[in-house]
Amino acid sequence: MKTRHLIMTTLLLMLGVGLVFATPLSFTTMQLQGRMPITEIFRVEQSDEALNFNLVDSRNTTVRVGSYTITSNDSTSQFHLYINPGEDGKQEQFAFTLDSGFTPAPGQQTQLPITVRVVSSTSGAVSVSGADKVEKTLGVRGIYAGNDDILFESGDILAEIPDFDPDLFATGWYSAAIQLQIQVL
């Protein structure tokens, strides 16, 4: 213990003397070796566009539901995105459904099937779509500042609204629910 204190005191005195006399440092290069702590970030932001739009006017268009970004400095990280229809993820297909409180006229439909698409804005990433579920491996290595140890991807989650006959659907508010899960493999 005394030896450790003696060494620390000597180092502090040498550093103190160097600062008092402003002598140049005795080295020109410093190398730090070690591993950074793992940092992983996944962010999803809901788009304001998806919160209030006219379903009839949006026929045959695409509505931006939200955006996502994934970043990891762990070279072994693997992320997988799952999007399933319904709040519980157990519905049969993605769809806009007539909200409760609105009564359809006889023969009118209350559910409009849609397709969900995940489009990456990162070079080299795959875009996927589906009517009943969407699965996608996330992250491209080497795209972020050319560093192969960093995993990065950003993109959009979109709802593709088909060209439908508005006379066949009940009048009222429609909404859609999706369940989004991220799995770290």
Side-chain angles (χ1 to χ4, degrees), residues 21-173:
F21 294 109
T23 58
L25 296 173
S26 59
F27 57 88
T28 57
T29 305
M30 186 174 83
Q31 180 176 337
L32 178 63
Q33 292 182 335
R35 185 178 173 114
M36 287 176 51
I38 295 173
T39 301
E40 294 176 338
I41 300 168
F42 185 79
R43 177 181 301 133
V44 176
E45 295 179 10
Q46 186 173 16
S47 171
D48 291 339
E49 179 183 353
L51 297 176
N52 188 14
F53 67 95
N54 186 316
L55 189 61
V56 173
D57 291 344
S58 300
R59 287 183 303 156
N60 204 28
T61 64
T62 302
V63 174
R64 186 172 170 262
V65 175
S67 63
Y68 69 93
T69 302
I70 177 96
T71 307
S72 174
N73 69 347
D74 181 4
S75 61
T76 62
S77 289
Q78 294 181 359
F79 294 88
H80 203 80
L81 170 69
Y82 298 93
I83 302 176
N84 295 307
E87 287 181 25
D88 59 359
K90 296 180 181 177
Q91 301 299 317
E92 292 182 19
Q93 64 184 8
F94 295 114
F96 280 104
T97 304
L98 182 67
D99 290 347
S100 59
F102 294 95
T103 307
Q108 286 192 317
Q109 298 180 25
T110 60
Q111 197 169 46
L112 175 66
I114 59 173
T115 300
V116 170
R117 187 165 39 123
V118 179
V119 179
S120 175
S121 57
T122 304
S123 173
V126 177
S127 296
V128 295
S129 65
D132 58 354
K133 66 180 175 178
V134 175
E135 294 183 23
K136 180 179 181 350
T137 300
L138 296 174
V140 178
R141 297 198 191 286
I143 200 74
Y144 192 80
N147 188 333
D148 287 336
D149 288 338
I150 295 179
L151 192 71
F152 177 80
E153 184 177 337
S154 64
D156 291 316
I157 301 168
L158 309 170
E160 296 178 349
I161 301 170
D163 188 11
F164 63 93
D165 182 355
D167 294 332
L168 297 178
F169 289 85
T171 304
W173 287 100

